[in-house]
Amino acid sequence: MKTLLISVTLFLTSLALTAGGGYEPGDKATDFKLKNVDGTHVSLSDYDNAKGFIVIFTCNHCPYAQKYEKRIMELDKKYDP
């Protein structure tokens, strides 16, 4: 679940960065620090060994997104060491 929250946070950050010119495919993202929903801070540098990140477009209120929640959690378990 922690990875899911981080993914959503990274997605929101990418939206903010894109509005100001943003990144192109293949660009390396600059490090940043954001407050997570549980009050802790997360940063790209917290995951130095990550091969990449999964960004999921979702909404807590959408019934279709709610149906996919189990699949998202399975992805988290599959790729989170």
Side-chain angles (χ1 to χ4, degrees), residues 15-71:
L15 285 180
L17 292 172
T18 307
Y23 294 108
E24 294 293 323
D27 287 352
K28 184 175 181 179
T30 56
D31 193 26
F32 57 87
K33 182 187 273 189
L34 294 173
K35 192 173 191 178
N36 205 344
V37 294
D38 64 1
T40 62
H41 285 85
V42 294
S43 173
L44 286 177
S45 63
D46 294 338
Y47 304 93
D48 287 333
N49 296 327
K51 294 180 182 178
F53 295 92
I54 297 174
V55 178
I56 300 169
F57 299 87
T58 189
C59 171
N60 294 342
H61 307 286
C62 174
Y64 296 104
Q66 290 173 352
K67 297 276 184 191
Y68 274 86
E69 184 175 354
K70 183 178 177 182
R71 292 179 182 178

Side-chain angles (χ1 to χ4, degrees), residues 5-18 32 34 37 55-56 58:
L5 296 176
I6 292 169
S7 297
V8 172
T9 302
L10 292 174
F11 165 68
L12 294 175
T13 301
S14 68
L15 285 180
L17 292 172
T18 307
F32 57 87
L34 294 173
V37 294
V55 178
I56 300 169
T58 189

